[in-house]
Amino acid sequence: MRNGSCITATVTKIVSDLYTVSSEKGTFRAKARGRFRLKGQSVCVGDIVKVVSEKGFMVIDEVLPRRNSLLRPFVSNIDSALIVVAKEPVPDMILADKIIVNCFIEGIKPVLVYNKRELAAGGEIEKLFSAYDSFIDCIAVSALEKSGFEELRREIEGKTVCLAGQSAVGKTSLMNAILDAGLKTDGLSKKIKRGKNTTRHVEIYEAWGGKIMDTCGFSMLTLVNLEPDELKYYYEDFLPLAGECRFSACSHVNEPDCAVKKAVDEGRVDKARYLRYLEIYNELKNERRKSYD
């Protein structure tokens, strides 16, 4: 590119402070202006940016407004988040529930993907899905056997999606199977049965007529800028029952005559998911309390 020329591009990969950007004019490596750091701003994979050429270097000059974004994984402008769980490591469904809440806040479609289905005992996957399949899509796949891929393809085709979830659930193995690639995988630590994080950066790949972001695994996620009493609005399985509660502002925690608690007692709402709701609700309350101490 000529000095002074400007293009619009998509950030497809970040390693340290080096950004890979892709545009109609090609793929380039670029640096971000120092003012982003000074203003506490950041550039993430998925951002649409203005890139200028200065003295032979490509420089990200502006980040255009994001359609949506997630903090973990830190990505933007996506249509769906494929939340990957597996038999091993033990599914962290609190983490999954938090990602689902973040997706609903940001207008992103959450999809629950059970990988390594060849390891699951009879009825195990159905039991896990039963708490979610009334309000989000749930898919069982096997990266090893390349099964369940027709459903997965439908979730990816024509969209920009990201893989999210714990380490060692097989996100990179899924990418390898989809792309016929050789991305590095390490699986579980034999000593502690926890995931080893082999993906060190976020990167966009093109496959099946869509774009897929492979992301780093993580084990903790804090819901930011969410009041405890707003949490209930992002539980799609609770919303149809809310009108039956005695109190219109029922938080579904301590109030009497709560329709959600009644549904839990009657088995119409998954008890484990409700208990996780209480845990997340109390976590938000504690965070709010700390911020005012």
Side-chain angles (χ1 to χ4, degrees):
M1 282 177 57
R2 299 189 312 275
N3 277 343
S5 59
C6 177
I7 60 169
T8 300
T10 301
V11 178
T12 59
K13 181 180 178 180
I14 302 174
V15 178
S16 189
D17 61 348
L18 195 62
Y19 301 81
T20 301
V21 299
S22 181
S23 73
E24 291 180 354
K25 293 184 180 294
T27 298
F28 309 92
R29 289 187 175 180
K31 296 273 191 175
R33 290 216 186 275
R35 68 166 180 260
F36 289 117
R37 202 171 279 118
L38 290 173
K39 292 181 178 180
Q41 298 173 332
S42 53
V43 182
C44 69
V45 168
D47 277 345
I48 310 298
V49 295
K50 294 285 188 181
V51 183
V52 297
S53 177
E54 293 182 353
K55 298 177 181 177
F57 293 95
M58 302 299 293
V59 179
I60 295 175
D61 187 60
E62 181 184 359
V63 177
L64 300 184
R66 293 167 177 159
R67 178 161 53 98
N68 55 46
S69 64
L70 292 175
L71 270 181
R72 297 200 75 179
F74 188 32
V75 295
S76 69
N77 300 316
I78 62 173
D79 299 302
S80 304
L82 307 182
I83 305 162
V84 185
V85 298
K87 184 180 179 68
E88 291 183 347
V90 175
D92 183 346
M93 299 313 295
I94 280 200
L95 181 64
D97 286 344
K98 287 180 177 180
I99 298 172
I100 290 169
V101 168
N102 272 344
C103 285
F104 284 141
I105 289 171
E106 291 291 327
I108 296 165
K109 178 184 177 181
V111 180
L112 189 59
V113 179
Y114 192 110
N115 189 26
K116 309 180 191 179
R117 73 180 189 183
E118 73 279 1
L119 301 178
E124 191 171 0
I125 298 174
E126 290 78 7
K127 183 179 179 183
L128 188 147
F129 281 177
S130 66
Y132 298 91
D133 58 12
S134 65
F135 61 95
I136 64 173
D137 288 342
C138 300
I139 305 171
V141 302
S142 169
L144 180 66
E145 299 174 345
K146 293 190 177 182
S147 59
F149 276 25
E150 281 307 309
E151 287 179 275
L152 194 61
R153 181 189 291 270
R154 285 195 289 271
E155 296 292 347
I156 294 169
E157 194 170 11
K159 305 181 187 75
T160 298
V161 307
C162 77
L163 300 178
Q166 300 159 263
S167 299
V169 291
K171 297 188 298 296
T172 304
S173 295
L174 274 175
M175 291 297 300
N176 281 338
I178 292 168
L179 299 169
D180 287 322
L183 306 175
K184 184 182 177 185
T185 64
D186 267 350
L188 290 173
S189 163
K190 291 180 181 177
K191 238 181 202 180
I192 56 176
K193 282 290 184 181
R194 287 177 59 187
K196 293 186 285 184
N197 192 357
T198 55
T199 301
R200 304 297 181 187
H201 60 267
V202 180
E203 184 169 357
I204 297 178
Y205 299 88
E206 293 191 6
W208 291 350
K211 296 178 180 178
I212 314 170
M213 299 179 185
D214 188 21
T215 68
C216 312
F218 53 94
S219 58
M220 296 184 66
L221 175 62
T222 300
L223 296 175
V224 296
N225 300 324
L226 182 65
E227 295 293 327
D229 289 331
E230 293 175 346
L231 180 64
K232 63 188 177 185
Y233 298 122
Y234 302 103
Y235 273 68
E236 295 283 322
D237 39 343
F238 294 2
L239 289 178
L241 300 165
E244 300 171 23
C245 295
R246 184 202 292 187
F247 300 104
S248 59
C250 185
S251 65
H252 316 312
V253 178
N254 297 313
E255 298 88 344
D257 298 328
C258 169
V260 171
K261 290 192 289 185
K262 182 181 178 185
V264 171
D265 291 340
E266 294 175 352
R268 292 182 288 119
V269 166
D270 184 79
K271 184 176 182 179
R273 177 162 155 82
Y274 174 71
L275 292 175
R276 292 193 295 272
Y277 167 82
L278 295 181
E279 188 170 337
I280 296 170
Y281 178 89
N282 288 323
E283 182 183 306
L284 289 170
K285 284 197 77 171
N286 289 335
E287 289 297 322
R288 180 178 169 81
R289 195 177 295 119
K290 285 179 192 174
S291 67
Y292 284 96
D293 284 347

